[in-house]
Amino acid sequence: MNGNLVKRQAKFLTLLILLATLGCATTGGRAPETEEFRVSKEPRPDWPDNPPSGHFVGISKNFSMEAKARNDALMDARKKIIDYLGVKIEKNVLDKILTTGRTDDVLITDVVSNAITRMIGQSILKVRAMKYHSEKWKQIDKGKVSYYWKVFCLVPFSKEEHNQFVSQWVGEITRLAQPIFTAAKKAEQDDDLITAAQKYDRVLKVLQQAEGIADFEPFLISPVRRLKAEASSALETLKPKLVSFQIEKCIKDLARQITSKPLRVSIGNITYQNTDLSSKFGEYLSSELSVGLTKSRSFQEISRRDLDEILKEQRLSLTGIIDQETQVKPGKILGIEALLYGDYWDEGDNVKVNLFLTHVETGRMGASSMLVPKLCLSPDMELVSKNYQSALLAIDEFGGREKQGTSKDFKIRVWVDKGNGGIYTEGEKLIIFFKSNHDCFLKLYHTDSAGNILQLFPNQYSRDNFIKAGRVYSIPDETSNFDFVVQPPFGSEVIKAIASMKPFSTAEGFGANEVFKSMGRASRENIRGILTRDIGILARKGVAEDLCVFTTVE
């Protein structure tokens, strides 16, 4: 009984092995689902793979009709010639020209681009095929049989044709650019400097298209290069004049709004939009304003450097000049009567600048605005710092929280000497000041331009975070053996102050050689965690907060 069972099992295993072997053989030899065979008997010539010099080969897609494949091959060759020449035409426009064989219905908003595109289209449509090679193919896809045509065409494009094309191209571009250049010169003579700069820039962009053409005889493009050199020189000469001209117009406008002349004025901070963030552009604008004020008889500028020194000595911020609660007026010490400050806004091709003149005792005196074309700015001129978005996040999370439960009579202030929106350049020393109107306990956080958060106070040198009411404290102070010196990376930075009438329950610990405690990265979750630890566990009525923003530049 057992012997028969063993024999039956052996036969069964043998059968399984045989079936598996047959299955593997069948699978391994399975024909592909799609097969293609060339039906045409005529051999493919050598030129599709090795075209002679001065010729281009067009290759069609697969078409069921030979005539359509021939047209597609010619279109492909013409596109290759356009690519070779380096001519820039929008793909949908070029496809329309090559498909319809017409240029009269090409619609491009820009008049110059429209004219150039039509000229190129008319020239490229003259290109004809020298010979064709057609191949018929058979395709079997999952048992379904179909046929298609693939066509190659050989198109000559000789040196003479090339030069003729370039000559037409250059002639058309020069014809279109010359009246724009003439209009730019006229606008400059009429003191319409913004229009003049925009037209010079337009001339350069039009002429630049011609220089992109490949492999041309140098003499053919000499008219373009000559006109380009004139336009470039005129624009470069105009750029600094334009900014100073706009500033002088603003200063004259402000002068008409004041009665006491000359008015002793100092330049305040110029920030981006409705934020306290600034950039290299803000610093550049302050410098240009200083030059403009020195040329005006209506104003007498007080050096910002002198003002900053007084602010540090008096332990005040720039806002202290126009703060009616300030007991010691730095404005009075220097004889400053007004502060000139502003904001700027990105408006596409231009930057809109708003300037405000405020009397240190009576308040707002006047305002003016101007447009600065971006083409007048250097390529590395930033309107916002590289960490603009992360700085906004830190401001929103640190400073955008509702202060529910905060006592109205309990205030903490934190500032830097140059005030909110102040700009510090590489190598400058920075001092952070803070003051409360109540005895309290304080924590001070700094978010740098790299997105790191440090606890500045308390720190390794000042572990006691209790501060007295009415006293101005600073980091560093006269007893510190360190300075805050501006160095890379540059960008916008945030100081956050959190004060409590009760001691913070979180213990302070510092790592080895750690002067300021690291609080991690400035992520939304981390900032909320810091605020929860410092504020959420305290009675809200005994908490006050403040925030200060400044920017560092190279």
Coordinates of all heavy atoms in Angstrom, one line a residue, residues 478-506:
E478 N 28.5 97.4 29.2 CA 29.9 97.8 29.4 C 30.8 96.8 30.1 O 32.0 96.8 30.1 CB 29.9 99.1 30.2 CG 29.2 99.1 31.6 CD 27.7 99.3 31.4 OE1 27.2 99.4 30.3 OE2 27.0 99.2 32.5
T479 N 30.1 95.8 30.8 CA 30.9 94.7 31.5 C 31.1 93.5 30.6 O 31.9 92.6 31.0 CB 30.1 94.3 32.7 OG1 28.9 93.6 32.4 CG2 29.8 95.5 33.6
S480 N 30.5 93.4 29.4 CA 30.6 92.2 28.6 C 32.0 92.2 27.9 O 32.6 93.2 27.6 CB 29.5 92.2 27.5 OG 28.3 92.3 28.1
N481 N 32.5 91.0 27.7 CA 33.7 90.8 27.0 C 33.5 90.3 25.6 O 34.3 89.6 25.0 CB 34.7 89.8 27.8 CG 34.0 88.5 27.9 OD1 32.9 88.3 27.6 ND2 34.8 87.5 28.5
F482 N 32.4 90.7 25.0 CA 32.1 90.3 23.6 C 31.3 91.4 22.9 O 30.8 92.3 23.6 CB 31.3 89.0 23.5 CG 29.9 89.1 24.1 CD1 28.8 89.5 23.4 CD2 29.7 88.8 25.5 CE1 27.6 89.6 23.9 CE2 28.4 88.9 26.0 CZ 27.4 89.3 25.2
D483 N 31.3 91.4 21.6 CA 30.5 92.3 20.8 C 29.7 91.5 19.8 O 30.0 90.4 19.4 CB 31.4 93.3 20.0 CG 32.1 94.3 20.9 OD1 31.4 94.9 21.7 OD2 33.3 94.4 20.8
F484 N 28.5 92.1 19.4 CA 27.8 91.6 18.2 C 28.3 92.3 17.0 O 28.0 93.5 16.8 CB 26.3 91.8 18.4 CG 25.6 91.0 19.5 CD1 24.7 91.5 20.3 CD2 26.0 89.6 19.6 CE1 24.1 90.7 21.3 CE2 25.4 88.9 20.6 CZ 24.5 89.4 21.5
V485 N 29.0 91.6 16.1 CA 29.6 92.2 14.9 C 28.9 91.5 13.7 O 28.8 90.3 13.6 CB 31.1 92.0 14.8 CG1 31.6 92.6 13.6 CG2 31.8 92.5 16.1
V486 N 28.4 92.4 12.8 CA 27.7 91.9 11.6 C 28.6 91.1 10.7 O 29.7 91.6 10.3 CB 27.0 93.0 10.8 CG1 26.4 92.6 9.5 CG2 26.0 93.7 11.7
Q487 N 28.2 89.9 10.4 CA 29.0 89.1 9.5 C 28.1 88.1 8.7 O 26.9 88.0 9.1 CB 30.1 88.3 10.3 CG 29.5 87.4 11.3 CD 30.5 86.7 12.2 OE1 31.7 87.1 12.2 NE2 30.1 85.7 12.9
P488 N 28.6 87.4 7.7 CA 27.7 86.5 6.9 C 27.2 85.4 7.8 O 27.9 85.1 8.8 CB 28.6 86.0 5.8 CG 29.8 87.0 5.7 CD 29.9 87.5 7.1
P489 N 26.1 84.8 7.4 CA 25.2 85.1 6.3 C 24.3 86.4 6.6 O 24.0 86.7 7.8 CB 24.3 83.9 6.2 CG 24.2 83.3 7.5 CD 25.6 83.6 8.2
F490 N 24.0 87.1 5.6 CA 23.3 88.4 5.7 C 21.8 88.1 5.5 O 21.4 87.2 4.8 CB 23.8 89.4 4.7 CG 25.3 89.7 4.9 CD1 26.2 89.2 3.9 CD2 25.8 90.3 6.0 CE1 27.5 89.4 4.0 CE2 27.2 90.5 6.1 CZ 28.0 90.1 5.1
G491 N 21.0 89.0 6.0 CA 19.5 88.9 5.8 C 18.8 89.6 6.9 O 19.3 90.4 7.7
S492 N 17.5 89.3 7.0 CA 16.6 89.9 8.0 C 16.6 89.1 9.3 O 16.6 87.9 9.2 CB 15.2 90.1 7.5 OG 15.2 91.0 6.4
E493 N 16.7 89.8 10.4 CA 16.8 89.1 11.7 C 15.7 89.6 12.7 O 15.3 90.8 12.6 CB 18.2 89.2 12.3 CG 19.2 88.9 11.2 CD 20.6 88.6 11.8 OE1 20.7 88.5 13.1 OE2 21.6 88.5 11.0
V494 N 15.3 88.8 13.6 CA 14.2 89.1 14.5 C 14.7 89.0 16.0 O 15.3 88.0 16.3 CB 13.0 88.2 14.3 CG1 11.8 88.5 15.2 CG2 12.6 88.3 12.8
I495 N 14.3 89.9 16.8 CA 14.5 89.9 18.3 C 13.1 89.8 18.9 O 12.3 90.7 18.7 CB 15.3 91.1 18.8 CG1 16.6 91.2 18.1 CG2 15.5 90.9 20.3 CD1 17.6 90.2 18.3
K496 N 12.9 88.8 19.8 CA 11.7 88.7 20.5 C 11.9 88.7 22.0 O 12.8 88.1 22.5 CB 11.0 87.3 20.1 CG 9.8 87.0 20.9 CD 8.6 87.9 20.6 CE 7.3 87.5 21.3 NZ 6.2 88.3 20.9
A497 N 11.1 89.6 22.7 CA 11.2 89.7 24.1 C 9.9 89.2 24.8 O 8.8 89.6 24.3 CB 11.4 91.2 24.5
I498 N 10.0 88.4 25.8 CA 8.9 87.9 26.6 C 9.2 88.2 28.0 O 10.2 87.7 28.6 CB 8.7 86.4 26.4 CG1 8.5 86.1 24.9 CG2 7.5 85.9 27.2 CD1 8.4 84.6 24.6
A499 N 8.3 89.0 28.6 CA 8.5 89.4 30.0 C 7.4 88.8 30.9 O 6.2 88.7 30.4 CB 8.6 90.9 30.2
S500 N 7.7 88.5 32.1 CA 6.7 87.9 33.0 C 6.9 88.5 34.4 O 8.0 88.7 34.9 CB 6.8 86.4 33.1 OG 6.1 85.8 34.2
M501 N 5.8 88.8 35.1 CA 5.9 89.3 36.5 C 6.3 88.1 37.5 O 6.7 88.4 38.6 CB 4.6 89.9 36.9 CG 4.3 91.2 36.2 SD 2.8 92.0 36.8 CE 2.8 93.5 35.8
K502 N 6.1 86.9 37.0 CA 6.5 85.7 37.8 C 7.7 85.0 37.2 O 7.9 85.1 35.9 CB 5.3 84.7 37.9 CG 4.1 85.3 38.6 CD 3.0 84.2 38.7 CE 1.8 84.7 39.4 NZ 0.7 83.7 39.5
P503 N 8.5 84.4 37.9 CA 9.6 83.6 37.3 C 9.2 82.6 36.4 O 8.1 82.0 36.5 CB 10.3 83.0 38.6 CG 9.8 83.8 39.7 CD 8.5 84.2 39.4
F504 N 10.0 82.4 35.3 CA 9.7 81.3 34.4 C 9.9 80.0 35.1 O 10.9 79.8 35.8 CB 10.5 81.4 33.1 CG 10.2 82.6 32.3 CD1 10.8 83.8 32.5 CD2 9.3 82.5 31.3 CE1 10.5 84.9 31.7 CE2 9.0 83.6 30.5 CZ 9.6 84.9 30.7
S505 N 9.1 79.0 34.8 CA 9.2 77.7 35.5 C 10.3 76.8 34.8 O 10.7 75.8 35.4 CB 7.9 77.0 35.6 OG 7.4 76.7 34.3
T506 N 10.6 77.1 33.6 CA 11.5 76.3 32.8 C 13.0 76.6 33.3 O 13.4 77.7 33.4 CB 11.4 76.5 31.3 OG1 11.6 77.9 31.1 CG2 10.1 76.0 30.8

